[in-house]
Amino acid sequence: MNRFSILNPFTPRSVPRGLDARVVTKSLLVHRNRNISVPHRRFLLAVYCKVRSLGRNEWILFEETHQSGLFLFWVCRPANMRLAGPLRVVVVVLLVGLTWLLASSILGGDGNSVVKIFFTGAQEEPTQEPRPRRFKCGLSAPCPPKHLAFRLVSGAANVIGPKICLEDKMLVSSVKNNVGRGLNVALVNGVSGELLETKAFDMWEGDVSDLLKFLRPLHEGTLVLVASFDDPATKLNDEARRLFEELGSSAVKELAFRDSWVFVGAKGIENKSPFEQRMKNSKTSNKYEGWPESLEMDGCIPLRAPLES
């Protein structure tokens, strides 16, 4: 091969007619020894072509030019080889995608959304679960006409204060800073639903006479909403218990130290109130150390018809 040298290649201009290939390189091979016969020169060129094409999937075509000792050759590559690389990539991608989809379907994954994202590039927004409709005071259903929605929550131990909600308005809560140890009471006009007054009565070391003065002058039809906090009963006397019984309570006569109690009654009620819950203070069943769990009660209070004058 020392007898031949390669001149600088130049840009190919065409492919021989009828050849399904593309020209990669077009160069001049110069034969330095003009005494070598043409068949011998062609044999050497064939050897050169073989060496040139090893491992490249390409071959070299050559022809003798009019000038003595010069040979023109093309380094060619089959045209279909241009597609081999991209086709392999496409096949690999398809195989990986199909394998992934099959695995997702077997394992319970959602392959459809991923396919959509892959082909469209659009990110699928997660579907939001519909929020449950909220009614007044957090009730699960609306109250019928001429009824007041309410929710009562007793205090938790001596830490979390009670709550009294009426018609989606918080009447008593720690946020409003109007709760206190003992009995938290809200008075409401039973005809219009208007709030009349709220007050807390300390039943541990307070004076029960304050509670009696508050309950004795109630007018007919006045609604009384009660939520306990800490201790609701230590200072309760017989008169106070009787006044609550007249308002419709059936549990107040047994109400004891640190019991949890929620109650809705009314002045002039004929029967016992359906809105009352009591949780007894018991060492064996208390949720908190020394206190039972908090009580929560909600419902709809029917408005009273206006009194005839």
Side-chain angles (χ1 to χ4, degrees):
M1 298 298 297
N2 323 358
R3 298 179 179 272
F4 297 88
S5 63
I6 302 296
L7 300 181
N8 292 332
F10 54 87
T11 304
R13 287 176 291 182
S14 62
V15 179
R17 186 172 298 178
L19 181 64
D20 183 20
R22 65 185 180 93
V23 177
V24 178
T25 310
K26 189 176 181 182
S27 304
L28 286 177
L29 188 66
V30 179
H31 172 224
R32 294 179 178 174
N33 190 347
R34 297 186 179 182
N35 297 324
I36 298 178
S37 63
V38 172
H40 193 192
R41 277 183 276 165
R42 292 189 175 180
F43 171 76
L44 293 177
L45 283 173
V47 173
Y48 177 81
C49 293
K50 184 176 181 180
V51 174
R52 182 82 167 86
S53 62
L54 282 178
R56 289 174 169 241
N57 291 323
E58 61 188 24
W59 63 85
I60 299 178
L61 301 177
F62 62 92
E63 62 179 349
E64 187 174 4
T65 62
H66 295 290
Q67 300 179 6
S68 177
L70 294 180
F71 289 87
L72 182 66
F73 69 90
W74 293 269
V75 179
C76 301
R77 188 171 296 161
N80 57 359
M81 290 301 293
R82 290 180 293 176
L83 300 178
L87 283 177
R88 288 190 189 121
V89 173
V90 171
V91 170
V92 170
V93 170
L94 289 177
L95 287 176
V96 171
L98 291 175
T99 303
W100 188 89
L101 290 175
L102 180 62
S104 297
S105 62
I106 293 175
L107 298 177
D110 185 8
N112 293 332
S113 60
V114 177
V115 172
K116 182 178 179 181
I117 294 173
F118 178 78
F119 286 103
T120 64
Q123 185 71 28
E124 184 176 0
E125 296 182 359
T127 55
Q128 297 181 352
E129 295 183 0
R131 294 182 179 179
R133 188 175 177 183
R134 181 185 178 278
F135 299 97
K136 292 179 179 180
C137 291
L139 271 64
S140 58
C143 289
K146 296 183 179 181
H147 283 68
L148 302 176
F150 78 92
R151 180 182 295 274
L152 300 180
V153 183
S154 66
N158 61 348
V159 179
I160 302 176
K163 296 178 182 179
I164 298 179
C165 176
L166 184 71
E167 283 294 286
D168 225 21
K169 295 180 181 179
M170 196 62 66
L171 307 183
V172 174
S173 70
S174 298
V175 176
K176 294 179 69 69
N177 197 28
N178 62 348
V179 302
R181 178 174 60 182
L183 297 176
N184 293 266
V185 184
L187 301 182
V188 176
N189 186 315
V191 177
S192 64
E194 179 185 0
L195 174 65
L196 301 176
E197 188 176 359
T198 63
K199 198 167 184 180
F201 301 92
D202 188 348
M203 294 290 101
W204 170 248
E205 57 184 7
D207 189 349
V208 71
S209 62
D210 294 335
L211 177 62
L212 297 177
K213 294 176 183 178
F214 188 76
L215 296 178
R216 285 171 185 159
L218 294 181
H219 296 289
E220 190 82 6
T222 301
L223 297 176
V224 181
L225 293 83
V226 184
S228 67
F229 184 29
D230 190 6
D231 175 25
T234 296
K235 288 297 182 90
L236 280 180
N237 58 15
D238 292 341
E239 183 182 1
R241 294 177 189 270
R242 180 180 56 80
L243 289 173
F244 277 116
E245 286 180 350
E246 292 176 357
L247 296 173
S249 173
S250 57
V252 68
K253 59 184 178 182
E254 298 178 355
L255 194 64
F257 172 68
R258 286 185 176 176
D259 286 354
S260 292
W261 184 45
V262 287
F263 166 68
V264 177
K267 181 69 173 181
I269 190 172
E270 296 179 359
N271 302 311
K272 294 300 180 181
S273 172
F275 304 120
E276 184 175 27
Q277 292 182 18
R278 169 179 171 251
M279 180 65 69
K280 182 176 176 57
N281 173 24
S282 173
K283 293 181 179 179
T284 59
S285 60
N286 282 347
K287 182 175 181 180
Y288 312 105
E289 184 179 354
W291 289 271
E293 66 179 313
S294 174
L295 292 175
E296 185 171 344
M297 179 177 67
D298 58 31
C300 302
I301 307 171
L303 287 172
R304 186 183 180 93
L307 295 175
E308 296 182 359
S309 56

